[in-house]
Amino acid sequence: MSVRETAAPDAIPAAHADTRYEMVVGLEVHVQLLTRTKAFCLCATNFGAPPNSNVCPVCLGLPGALPVLNERVVDLALRAATALECRLHETSVFARKNYFYPDLPKGYQISQYDRPLATEGHLAIENAAGEATSAVRITRIHIEEDAGKSIHDRFAGASAIDLNRAGVPLIEIVTEPDLRSAAAAGAYLRTLKQLLEYLEVSDVNMEEGSLRVDANVSARPVGAATLGTKTELKNLNSFSAVERALDAEFARQCDLLDRGQRVVQQTMLWDAGSSTVRPARSKEESHDYRYFPDPDLPPLVVSADRIAQIRRHLPELPAARRARYRSAFGLNAYDSEVLTASKSLGDYFEDAVRAHNDPKTVANWVMGEVRAALNASKREIDQFPVRPADLAELLDLLARDTVSGTAAKRIFALMIESGRGAAEIAQREGLLQVRDDTALRDWIEQVVVEHETEATRCAKGERKLLGVLVGFVMKKSKGRADPRRVNQLLAERLGV
Ligand SMILES: [Zn+2]
């Protein structure tokens, strides 16, 4: 097709398009599985190894080399399929997906075609209140191997091939065209990513390509029952790229339909720089893969026992954990969502609650101070120097009024810096709350002298100045005075 036909659309207001057309989206997500070795050979899968160092005759496709299935791949794929409530098929078949590309040394990818591992699942999507509002149907989940990587931007005038990724195990999770907006697609992807992270089937690292998304999108007049012609969006390397690309492609299609033109079924590439889509060259979208069963691999048979075993060992999933935080800890929907955002943050929170049994206070600290410190240091919770028991020790001091709220925040900062315990720091830095009346009266006398006007007015009945004077005493004590006792003693002193 000509470039003109698929050029960027004239700017049309999205709202205009929205009222007349409905967006229909289905997603294909490739997930790199968390295995130490590749799908059909013993090469390592580690990201960032020197180019072409993790290769062997099998993944290079040398003549006579035979693939042997890594059983860990099957376990992880089954775990994902079980959590997505799919129908698991006792027998599935590996097929060869044939195409030529320089980063595919065998000339085919081992995949599954007409007999995939699992079909007919679904994933529930929750709203902000933690209620499941919709379910996206999963069409299929199949196992396949990854291709190598072509590198076009490293050497002037030449492309390079790195085959470390060739043969790395993937699952592809395909949805029905159930999504109706870019935001819904984003919500599905975030929910899916979190689920996969909880299941520990993938490191879900998008920057390293562990999670890759292709989107099929079409537009149809609102109220129409049949689907419009779809295009496939590729080159989407973040969830926000998926959302923006869907909106751009939908607007382009609406514009074509408005002008009475037809949408051509083709692959579109997202260009994040210009926020536009452009058609892929036809070479990049050959669909005639001539699948046939791989004669080197027997059908994959999974026993009912194995499936039952997988089911028994499923971890608590994000939705169940959020529900438990609401019911067992009395947290609201928002707090439950934030604290379960990653499995490790939830584990941290629960370990701290085990040591300091006040879920609401622990939640506030984890969501506030802990997360702020993580953001500031760009660290993950696993590497955070203040461990749950350390945080609990600090919150114990705070709960017993041994340290003030202000002092606790200071101590927390020093705990991160020094790795020392809360009590030790409080002692060392003189941050223990002072309740000794002699010391408190001493500070009060100084403040009464230094702020004579306020003290006199307060004594004459302007009681609201008491708080101001308490503030001065707190400042003088560098936050160590017990504010309640200061309040009492100061009121006595001024006779109010
Ligand atoms: Zn290999």
Side-chain angles (χ1 to χ4, degrees):
M1 69 246 22
S2 72
V3 172
R4 195 178 309 116
E5 221 176 277
T6 49
D10 302 335
I12 53 159
H16 162 72
D18 278 353
T19 56
R20 300 175 54 184
Y21 299 104
E22 178 179 54
M23 186 194 287
V24 177
V25 179
L27 296 172
E28 295 169 10
V29 179
H30 284 92
V31 182
Q32 206 176 90
L33 298 176
L34 206 52
T35 58
R36 280 196 306 274
T37 57
K38 292 185 181 180
F40 301 104
C41 63
L42 291 173
C43 291
T45 54
N46 58 317
F47 182 85
N52 300 305
S53 59
N54 293 342
V55 291
C56 75
V58 174
C59 52
L60 289 176
L62 299 186
L66 285 174
V68 176
L69 177 61
N70 177 349
E71 288 297 331
R72 178 88 184 136
V73 169
V74 181
D75 282 339
L76 295 179
L78 285 173
R79 200 186 294 173
T82 306
L84 288 164
E85 297 173 63
C86 289
R87 231 177 88 196
L88 304 176
H89 298 287
E90 196 190 320
T91 304
S92 59
V93 172
F94 287 107
R96 290 187 179 180
K97 179 181 181 178
N98 299 283
Y99 61 96
F100 172 78
Y101 210 74
D103 60 21
L104 188 71
K106 291 205 291 276
Y108 62 86
Q109 231 175 325
I110 302 175
S111 182
Q112 294 186 309
Y113 183 51
D114 52 353
R115 299 194 61 185
L117 180 75
T119 53
E120 296 155 85
H122 68 266
L123 178 62
I125 312 295
E126 286 182 1
N127 65 10
E131 298 149 347
T133 48
S134 61
V136 177
R137 289 173 297 160
I138 309 290
T139 315
R140 57 186 276 146
I141 298 180
H142 67 253
I143 298 172
E144 64 182 28
E145 61 174 347
D146 212 340
K149 216 184 281 181
S150 301
I151 299 153
H152 304 299
D153 55 2
R154 182 90 165 270
F155 306 100
S159 286
I161 303 289
D162 179 4
L163 294 173
N164 282 349
R165 208 177 65 181
V168 165
L170 306 173
I171 49 173
E172 183 174 343
I173 303 172
V174 182
T175 74
E176 293 291 311
D178 283 352
L179 299 152
R180 292 291 174 269
S181 68
Y188 165 80
L189 290 169
R190 288 180 188 93
T191 306
L192 179 66
K193 180 184 175 199
Q194 190 186 41
L195 181 74
L196 296 168
E197 192 235 319
Y198 268 67
L199 290 169
E200 294 175 342
V201 299
S202 172
D203 64 17
V204 293
N205 186 332
M206 284 193 89
E207 277 129 54
E208 294 179 1
S210 302
L211 201 81
R212 303 196 289 270
V213 183
D214 297 333
N216 291 302
V217 57
S218 61
R220 65 178 172 191
V222 167
T226 53
L227 296 173
T229 305
K230 68 183 177 186
T231 56
E232 185 175 20
L233 282 167
K234 285 185 180 281
N235 205 25
L236 307 168
N237 49 21
S238 70
F239 291 164
S240 79
V242 173
E243 295 181 43
R244 288 186 298 140
L246 283 173
D247 280 332
E249 173 58 9
F250 179 60
R252 187 189 71 89
Q253 292 185 12
C254 292
D255 186 44
L256 286 174
L257 297 174
D258 269 344
R259 293 197 226 161
Q261 295 174 7
R262 64 189 187 89
V263 174
V264 177
Q265 182 161 355
Q266 61 183 338
T267 300
M268 305 294 293
L269 300 179
W270 169 245
D271 181 348
S274 62
S275 292
T276 53
V277 288
R278 63 173 173 83
R281 291 186 311 251
S282 60
K283 250 197 287 188
E284 290 168 303
E285 54 159 339
S286 158
H287 284 303
D288 190 4
Y289 294 126
R290 294 172 187 274
Y291 284 97
F292 64 87
D294 192 314
D296 289 341
L297 287 160
L300 171 59
V301 177
V302 288
S303 67
D305 269 2
R306 187 172 183 180
I307 292 169
Q309 180 95 347
I310 296 276
R311 205 179 291 281
R312 262 200 308 280
H313 289 101
L314 274 192
E316 182 182 39
L317 300 180
R321 194 176 218 186
R322 285 192 292 270
R324 181 165 61 81
Y325 281 20
R326 295 193 297 270
S327 61
F329 297 140
L331 300 179
N332 63 28
Y334 176 77
D335 292 2
S336 306
E337 190 186 324
V338 172
L339 291 169
T340 56
S342 72
K343 184 170 187 292
S344 43
L345 189 69
D347 290 346
Y348 183 97
F349 164 71
E350 288 185 45
D351 286 346
V353 170
R354 234 164 265 132
H356 180 82
N357 190 17
D358 176 357
K360 188 62 199 163
T361 302
V362 175
N364 287 341
W365 273 77
V366 173
M367 291 168 60
E369 305 300 316
V370 173
R371 281 204 316 154
L374 290 176
N375 287 341
S377 61
K378 306 233 179 314
R379 261 189 292 221
E380 296 295 324
I381 189 79
D382 306 310
Q383 297 121 35
F384 193 55
V386 180
R387 300 316 305 152
D390 306 327
L391 177 64
E393 184 192 341
L394 175 62
L395 297 183
D396 283 347
L397 294 178
L398 189 57
R400 288 198 302 266
D401 275 336
T402 309
V403 300
S404 69
T406 322
K409 289 188 180 169
R410 170 100 187 101
I411 294 167
F412 184 70
L414 292 169
M415 287 167 79
I416 298 171
E417 240 175 74
S418 67
R420 289 185 217 280
E424 189 191 336
I425 291 173
Q427 191 72 257
R428 242 174 205 266
E429 301 288 319
L431 290 167
L432 292 170
Q433 192 108 286
V434 175
R435 284 208 207 81
D436 165 33
D437 283 358
T438 317
L440 296 180
R441 286 209 173 92
D442 212 36
W443 283 321
I444 287 171
E445 282 315 312
Q446 290 178 41
V447 165
V448 168
V449 171
E450 286 163 24
H451 301 276
E452 204 193 334
T453 326
E454 287 89 345
T456 312
R457 278 165 56 199
C458 183
K460 282 182 180 159
E462 275 187 68
R463 229 195 123 88
K464 63 173 194 285
L465 285 172
L466 192 63
V468 176
L469 292 164
V470 170
F472 288 138
V473 176
M474 292 308 295
K475 200 166 169 194
K476 192 162 277 297
S477 75
K478 299 198 173 70
R480 287 177 299 149
D482 173 359
R484 264 170 294 190
R485 188 65 188 142
V486 169
N487 204 74
Q488 284 169 358
L489 292 176
L490 192 62
E492 271 171 32
R493 167 69 177 76
L494 299 175
V496 294

